[in-house]
Amino acid sequence: MKELSLSHLGALVLSLLLWGTTFPALKGILSMPGNPPLALFFYRYFDSTVILVIVVLIMKRGRSLRCPFRYYLLGILNFFAMAFQMEGLVLTTATKGAVLSQMVMVVVPFLSFLLLGENFSLRKLLAVFGALSGAVMISTNLDFSGLLVRNSFQGDLLVSASVLFWSLYIVLTRKWASHADPISLLWASQIPTVLLAFPACLLTGQVHLTRQGHGAALFLGLICSLVTTVLYNYSLRRIDATTSTILGPIELITALLISLFVLGEGFTLVETAGSMIALCAALFAVVPSPARFLPRPRKFW
């Protein structure tokens, strides 16, 4: 964070703002009949991969799509994170799913500390707590009645597994983004995801979309996969994984505002307060602090 530049911070914020359009878009298109979630998942990544190949061919300039084999782990993590999250949310309550999904803000800082040796200051610890609190308020409106519902243990495990996969994805992206070509990281993330999503669609019989569904898949693939991932990978060249995660509630707030003004959904006092807390935590996180809360451990790789 000592070398933080406005361009990298701006790229991160813009990627989160664009990612914030994902949930309203998904909610709108999945509410229409004939648009199953796994089919939308597959076509989103199929369309974005085709676009990526075309763009690279046009702007080739000696660029190769080949990348170190280990980078493809990002795509595997991305697929399982999304698949487990979608399946888990079907089996558990919305409240549990929302709370468990926000735990990525706790897992990433500790994984970054243990595996990457990133600084973990008191300032960051407080920012993590603030961002997590605000995100939970936004996601649940402080209605935790769903937490008492039984028989959702399998769904809870799947959502928890998705959090672990997302956290590993963020940490590894941070590790490799400092010296890798952002396009190579994007390619490595896209290919395993689309290859694994295709048989998942065939096995479940979710292979068709409506015309509106294909339009949504194209938007999600181009804007919410390609553009956002390039911006995110670029930002992680200079921004640590912990700080990028603390800024994550910007995505939730964007989704909330779109739901308010486009979908006509309500905006409660609790959600407003949660948004303010999360934004304050994000601002608190990007202010450098020389004091370390814990000594950095040796890197595991």
Side-chain angles (χ1 to χ4, degrees):
M1 284 295 293
K2 290 183 179 181
E3 300 178 355
L4 176 65
S5 68
L6 289 179
S7 64
H8 292 85
L9 181 60
L12 176 59
V13 172
L14 181 57
S15 70
L16 293 171
L17 289 172
L18 292 176
W19 261 322
T21 66
T22 302
F23 179 74
L26 285 173
K27 186 171 183 180
I29 203 64
L30 291 177
S31 63
M32 301 179 183
N35 294 303
L38 282 181
L40 187 60
F41 177 24
F42 166 71
Y43 284 109
R44 168 184 178 176
Y45 280 91
F46 177 79
D47 291 349
S48 60
T49 301
V50 171
I51 295 171
L52 176 61
V53 172
I54 294 173
V55 170
V56 171
L57 289 176
I58 294 175
M59 304 176 59
K60 190 173 181 181
R61 299 177 183 175
R63 185 190 298 275
S64 173
L65 290 178
R66 291 181 298 178
C67 60
F69 186 75
R70 65 182 182 275
Y71 288 4
Y72 289 102
L73 178 59
L74 294 176
I76 297 174
L77 292 172
N78 184 52
F79 168 79
F80 282 107
M82 295 193 70
F84 283 175
Q85 185 180 61
M86 289 185 349
E87 292 298 324
L89 290 176
V90 172
L91 298 173
T92 190
T93 64
T95 302
K96 282 188 177 182
V99 173
L100 290 172
S101 296
Q102 305 310 322
M103 293 307 293
V104 69
M105 297 183 191
V106 176
V107 178
V108 167
F110 286 104
L111 284 181
S112 300
F113 172 72
L114 293 174
L115 302 182
L116 301 183
E118 289 186 355
N119 294 338
F120 196 36
S121 64
L122 177 60
R123 180 183 295 273
K124 285 185 180 179
L125 181 63
L126 294 174
V128 166
F129 178 77
L132 179 62
S133 301
V136 169
M137 292 172 69
I138 295 170
S139 302
T140 66
N141 198 33
L142 294 185
D143 180 5
F144 299 105
S145 56
L147 294 176
L148 303 178
V149 177
R150 298 183 179 181
N151 302 323
S152 62
F153 181 66
Q154 184 179 0
D156 298 341
L157 285 181
L158 289 173
V159 175
S160 298
S162 74
V163 168
L164 180 59
F165 281 116
W166 280 128
S167 300
L168 287 172
Y169 177 91
I170 294 171
V171 170
L172 288 179
T173 300
R174 166 58 181 166
K175 174 179 173 58
W176 293 328
S178 59
H179 55 270
D181 178 10
I183 299 297
S184 296
L185 287 179
L186 177 58
W187 177 255
S189 175
Q190 290 284 129
I191 294 303
T193 300
V194 73
L195 290 179
L196 290 171
F198 181 64
C201 289
L202 292 180
L203 291 173
T204 58
Q206 300 182 31
V207 294
H208 299 292
L209 288 176
T210 64
R211 182 180 300 178
Q212 294 88 346
H214 281 289
L218 182 60
F219 168 78
L220 291 169
L222 177 60
I223 303 300
C224 301
S225 290
L226 290 184
V227 175
T228 52
T229 304
V230 169
L231 290 169
Y232 186 73
N233 290 346
Y234 170 76
S235 71
L236 287 186
R237 286 174 172 264
R238 300 281 287 274
I239 298 177
D240 60 77
T242 299
T243 302
S244 69
T245 307
I246 295 170
L247 292 174
I250 293 175
E251 178 184 348
L252 282 173
I253 296 170
T254 303
L256 202 64
L257 291 173
I258 293 175
S259 298
L260 171 65
F261 292 108
V262 178
L263 301 180
E265 296 184 354
F267 198 83
T268 68
L269 181 62
V270 172
E271 290 169 336
T272 304
S275 300
M276 296 302 297
I277 292 173
L279 285 176
C280 289
L283 292 174
F284 191 60
V286 297
V287 178
S289 175
R292 293 178 182 173
F293 180 60
L294 293 173
R296 290 187 293 181
R298 293 182 180 181
K299 296 180 181 179
F300 284 173
W301 55 63

